Amino acid sequence: MHNKTPAERAARVPTIHIISDSIGETAQVVARAAAAQFGVTSPHLEIFSKVKSFEEVRGYLLEHARHHEEVLGDDRMLVMYTLVNADIREPLQGFLAEHPHIVAVDVLTAAVAAVSEMSGMEPVGKPGMLRVVDHNYFKRIGALEFTIAHDDGQNPEDLTKADIVLLGVSRSSKTPLSIYLAQQGLRVANVPLDPTTEPPSQIFDVDRTRLFGLMITPEVLLDIRRKRIKKAAGKAGGGQFAMLAKNYADPEYIYRDLEASRALMRRLGCIVVHTEGRAVEETAQEILRYYERSHPSNTDIIE
């Protein structure tokens, strides 16, 4: 694979036909994830959604197999399907057994069966349940609005209303982490720390199990800030840029910045999480593991 150009790899990955009795969102995610393993991040997807009967699916597959044969000289097809309606799924499985030129992946059935086996419950068998607009959707929207309004130390009077408060020096990934966590439905505030200013007094009123200090090594932080300075050089004026460089990417200042931050984190008793060399998602998962020990979430129930 590594010897092939991106265009050559894309040409080798066939069109992935998505069939669903909902909108096919789940199968699309799986299809893209599978293609990405071959270096193709935007595979060609053809989506046949909201299907109502097996006959619709049968006609679609036969028509496209004929088209593949006429245009490509090869009637093979790659199909990924999510069909919760057994009246469509079961005859399709029989049809596929008789048509080996159609390579098909049932994305959903095995996962649903596994949950059913472990829980002892029967699935509802209703398409589109993942997209039911419920309180969780509005909870995520509200969390994002709260997080944006409390980014970078804004509105400190609301810190005790946050589910999670992140503390850290500049360029320690506070904002990306805040947005990621908000997308999980958590209201997040983040507070910038530096040795020249006092943190908001409200930070001392926040439950320590909701406080997370973001720490980064001096060497990594210095490199990040120098790159930030270089990027800003063309935008800032001479004197303004020199002052920024002096106070922002000076090694001695960075050491003092981090030491002052560590001291405050110890006073607050917050959990310290390192961010260097880690993806936002990886750091967020560590924060969530700590957070959920003290604040276990209820399983979402759709009535």
Side-chain angles (χ1 to χ4, degrees), residues 141-152 154-155 178-179 182 188:
I141 295 298
L144 278 167
E145 291 175 348
F146 180 95
T147 300
I148 291 168
H150 297 83
D151 182 40
D152 202 32
Q154 297 182 82
N155 302 306
S178 295
I179 297 300
V188 184

Side-chain angles (χ1 to χ4, degrees), residues 33-69:
Q37 292 298 312
F38 301 89
V40 178
T41 56
S42 297
H44 184 257
L45 306 181
E46 183 160 321
I47 301 165
F48 185 33
S49 60
K50 300 288 186 180
V51 300
K52 302 298 183 185
S53 69
F54 165 67
E55 287 305 315
E56 284 183 358
V57 177
R58 181 178 181 277
Y60 171 87
L61 292 174
L62 291 176
E63 177 186 349
H64 281 262
R66 283 194 297 269
H67 177 75
H68 280 234
E69 176 68 32

Side-chain angles (χ1 to χ4, degrees), residues 260-301:
S261 297
R262 284 193 190 93
L264 177 62
M265 292 173 192
R266 284 193 294 268
R267 285 172 59 198
L268 292 168
C270 61
I271 297 165
V272 176
V273 177
H274 277 261
T275 63
E276 69 273 0
R278 307 173 77 184
V280 167
E281 296 84 354
E282 185 182 359
T283 307
Q285 290 307 312
E286 181 176 351
I287 291 171
L288 288 171
R289 283 194 296 271
Y290 281 116
Y291 176 78
E292 289 176 357
R293 289 176 191 171
S294 301
H295 308 278
S297 58
N298 295 322
T299 301
D300 297 327
I301 302 297

Side-chain angles (χ1 to χ4, degrees), residues 30-283:
V30 172
R32 290 192 176 96
Q37 292 298 312
F38 301 89
V40 178
T41 56
S42 297
H44 184 257
L45 306 181
E46 183 160 321
I47 301 165
F48 185 33
S49 60
K50 300 288 186 180
V51 300
K52 302 298 183 185
S53 69
F54 165 67
E55 287 305 315
E56 284 183 358
V57 177
R58 181 178 181 277
Y60 171 87
L61 292 174
L62 291 176
E63 177 186 349
H64 281 262
R66 283 194 297 269
H67 177 75
H68 280 234
E69 176 68 32
E70 293 170 3
V71 175
L72 304 175
D74 185 349
D75 66 351
R76 293 182 304 164
M77 290 176 60
L78 177 55
V79 175
M80 294 189 183
Y81 63 94
T82 51
L83 296 166
V84 300
N85 187 335
D87 291 338
I88 304 175
R89 185 181 67 252
E90 291 174 2
L92 172 61
Q93 291 168 340
F95 173 87
L96 292 170
E98 298 172 359
H99 293 78
H101 61 284
I102 301 176
V103 178
V105 178
D106 183 345
V107 173
L108 201 55
T109 300
V112 172
V115 174
S116 178
E117 179 180 348
M118 291 297 294
S119 67
M121 297 187 295
E122 290 297 318
V124 295
K126 184 177 179 182
M129 292 300 288
L130 189 61
R131 297 184 61 85
V132 171
V133 178
D134 59 11
H135 72 283
N136 298 304
Y137 170 81
F138 295 105
K139 180 181 177 182
R140 287 192 294 272
I141 295 298
L144 278 167
E145 291 175 348
F146 180 95
T147 300
I148 291 168
H150 297 83
D151 182 40
D152 202 32
Q154 297 182 82
N155 302 306
E157 65 277 6
D158 293 336
L159 286 178
T160 56
K161 299 177 182 177
D163 295 311
I164 289 176
V165 178
L166 302 178
L167 309 172
V169 300
S170 176
R171 316 310 292 182
S172 58
S173 298
K174 295 187 302 297
T175 296
L177 277 167
S178 295
I179 297 300
Y180 182 92
L181 292 166
Q183 291 170 343
Q184 317 307 310
L186 294 166
R187 296 171 299 171
V188 184
N190 73 72
V191 177
L193 302 179
D194 74 77
T196 64
T197 60
E198 288 293 321
S201 60
Q202 294 89 344
I203 199 71
F204 294 93
D205 298 324
V206 177
D207 178 351
R208 61 187 293 177
T209 64
R210 300 181 183 275
L211 281 174
F212 292 85
L214 306 180
M215 189 51 62
I216 186 170
T217 62
E219 296 77 15
V220 172
L221 183 58
L222 178 62
D223 183 58
I224 292 172
R225 289 190 178 181
R226 281 177 172 169
K227 289 176 180 176
R228 176 70 180 88
I229 288 291
K230 186 176 180 181
K231 185 176 180 180
K235 301 178 182 179
Q240 181 184 357
F241 175 71
M243 181 60 69
L244 179 61
K246 178 181 178 182
N247 291 333
Y248 194 70
D250 175 71
E252 184 178 344
Y253 181 89
I254 284 176
Y255 278 101
R256 288 193 293 115
D257 201 354
L258 290 172
E259 282 304 313
S261 297
R262 284 193 190 93
L264 177 62
M265 292 173 192
R266 284 193 294 268
R267 285 172 59 198
L268 292 168
C270 61
I271 297 165
V272 176
V273 177
H274 277 261
T275 63
E276 69 273 0
R278 307 173 77 184
V280 167
E281 296 84 354
E282 185 182 359
T283 307

